[in-house]
Amino acid sequence: MGDNNTWVGVVPTQRHTMSYRVIIVEVLITVFLCINLLQIATFLKKELFRTTMRYILFANTLLSDSLFLILTNIVLILVYFRIVIDMWLCLIIYIGWSLYTFVTQVTLTAMTLERYVAICMPLRHGELCTTRNSLHCILIIHSISSIPLSVFLSIFFASATQNAYTQRILCTVEILILHSWQQHLRSAINQLYFLIICSIIVFCYVNIMKVAKVASGENQTSTKKGLQTVALHGFQLMLCLISLWSPFIEAAFPQNNFILLMNVKFFNYIVFILTPRCLSPLIYGLRDEKFFLAVKSIVCFSLEKKKSSFSFV
């Protein structure tokens, strides 16, 4: 999000502009978190959702996105108000940040594979996509997502001095980058994930498209809807994966041009971090008829309950 000299020499007008931007981000994050919490509550309330793989994976995405938004918001506030914290606390924030950066992307890939199995292998869908397998899948997702984090933590613990953990610093995403070659390693890992995930998305989309061409009647409608879902997942994943390249995009701009750098950071944060996190509720929560009706019933019930409580006052 920034470095220790980010705010040095900032004129009041620039600081005022950044204040508005922080307010915009806070409003957006609050709205997204409220939507996510409403849908998580809906998931927990219905047994059908708690026992169906795609809804379990969807809930995992909502939870991952919510935790990620909270952590990014903490870092944003710390940097904006120049609040220094202990290195060990910053490491904890980084662990959550790094893990949930990848959890969402890997979960979306798993959801795409679930749609592939449902449409291209319908006879095996019930066998493969059980509740127990869903929980195993979530464990695998977190394991795969923790690989980049484990690599960078190992390098940091091997390189950092003992005094480093007690230092008070301005917490940024780049705290574990102690050597220039770590940037290249991070780039290589991100590109590997990008290649694997893109390959899976393309594979699923092509095969679902083949089934859509030969399907008829009700099956064709269901297949086309699945095709649209995979395409939307592909778009969402593209935004998420581009966010992995944000540090390199920002590094390409002059670091001494504060206004330009802040504009780039703000654009990257809104488009590549916040936007993909708000698409999950729209893609699965509102497009899925059963889930949408469940959310609608909860909202209507809450409004009626509030209305009746006011009538007794």
Side-chain angles (χ1 to χ4, degrees):
M1 300 296 290
D3 53 40
N4 291 344
N5 299 315
T6 298
W7 299 104
V8 175
V10 180
V11 297
T13 304
Q14 294 169 349
R15 189 65 180 263
H16 187 63
T17 302
M18 291 306 297
S19 298
Y20 274 112
R21 289 182 175 179
V22 171
I23 292 171
I24 291 171
V25 170
E26 294 302 311
V27 171
L28 289 173
I29 287 177
T30 302
V31 171
F32 295 158
L33 285 177
C34 288
I35 294 172
N36 285 359
L37 290 174
L38 172 63
Q39 298 204 21
I40 290 171
T42 304
F43 167 79
L44 295 173
K45 201 153 189 169
K46 299 286 184 180
E47 186 180 355
L48 170 66
F49 302 146
R50 298 197 306 270
T51 56
T52 305
M53 183 178 228
R54 61 174 172 158
Y55 294 117
I56 293 172
L57 293 175
F58 172 54
N60 187 58
T61 304
L62 291 174
L63 184 59
S64 170
D65 288 345
S66 299
L67 292 171
F68 182 83
L69 288 175
I70 291 169
L71 292 170
T72 56
N73 194 40
I74 290 172
V75 174
L76 177 70
I77 291 171
L78 289 175
V79 171
Y80 179 76
F81 291 105
R82 293 186 56 79
I83 301 172
V84 294
I85 60 174
D86 292 333
M87 172 66 87
W88 64 267
L89 183 57
C90 190
L91 278 173
I92 293 173
I93 294 173
Y94 176 83
I95 288 170
W97 173 303
S98 179
L99 178 63
Y100 289 107
T101 294
F102 287 97
V103 164
T104 293
Q105 297 161 20
V106 179
T107 305
L108 287 171
T109 307
M111 292 170 74
T112 301
L113 286 171
E114 187 275 333
R115 287 294 82 199
Y116 163 76
V117 172
I119 294 169
C120 299
M121 306 167 62
L123 298 179
R124 297 204 62 192
H125 184 261
E127 175 191 348
L128 296 174
C129 300
T130 62
T131 305
R132 184 173 180 177
N133 286 344
S134 301
L135 299 177
H136 291 163
C137 185
I138 290 174
L139 289 175
I140 293 171
I141 287 168
H142 281 77
S143 299
I144 294 173
S145 302
S146 65
I147 292 173
L149 173 63
S150 301
V151 171
F152 281 99
L153 281 180
S154 300
I155 296 170
F156 179 83
F157 290 145
S159 305
T161 62
Q162 192 170 1
N163 295 331
Y165 303 105
T166 58
Q167 290 179 357
R168 293 183 64 79
I169 61 166
L170 187 65
C171 191
T172 65
V173 186
E174 293 81 15
I175 58 164
L176 298 189
I177 305 297
L178 301 178
H179 309 286
S180 59
W181 57 265
Q182 286 180 264
Q183 291 279 13
H184 301 296
L185 177 61
R186 182 168 71 169
S187 175
I189 292 174
N190 290 346
Q191 289 181 35
L192 177 62
Y193 272 72
F194 183 89
L195 179 63
I196 293 172
I197 290 174
C198 285
S199 299
I200 292 172
I201 295 293
V202 171
F203 170 79
C204 293
Y205 188 86
V206 169
N207 281 278
I208 292 174
M209 187 180 289
K210 289 178 182 178
V211 173
K213 286 182 179 179
V214 298
S216 59
E218 191 174 325
N219 287 336
Q220 190 174 35
T221 303
S222 175
T223 303
K224 284 184 177 180
K225 190 174 180 180
L227 198 62
Q228 291 172 359
T229 301
V230 172
L232 287 169
H233 278 327
F235 175 71
Q236 186 180 9
L237 280 165
M238 181 187 72
L239 293 177
C240 286
L241 291 167
I242 290 174
S243 72
L244 299 177
W245 293 353
S246 292
F248 308 104
I249 295 172
E250 293 166 9
F253 290 86
Q255 300 300 300
N256 57 351
N257 189 332
F258 174 81
I259 297 177
L260 177 61
L261 189 59
M262 288 299 104
N263 287 338
V264 172
K265 285 178 179 289
F266 183 74
F267 177 82
N268 285 344
Y269 188 77
I270 295 294
V271 176
F272 301 129
I273 293 180
L274 287 187
T275 301
R277 266 72 191 180
C278 77
L279 287 177
S280 285
L282 297 176
I283 292 175
Y284 254 76
L286 300 183
R287 288 183 72 252
D288 188 281
E289 187 177 350
K290 293 178 182 177
F291 202 87
F292 175 72
L293 290 175
V295 172
K296 186 177 178 181
S297 65
I298 289 176
V299 172
C300 292
F301 177 77
S302 300
L303 291 175
E304 287 178 8
K305 192 175 180 181
K306 186 178 286 188
K307 188 176 179 181
S308 62
S309 65
F310 277 121
S311 64
F312 285 108
V313 175

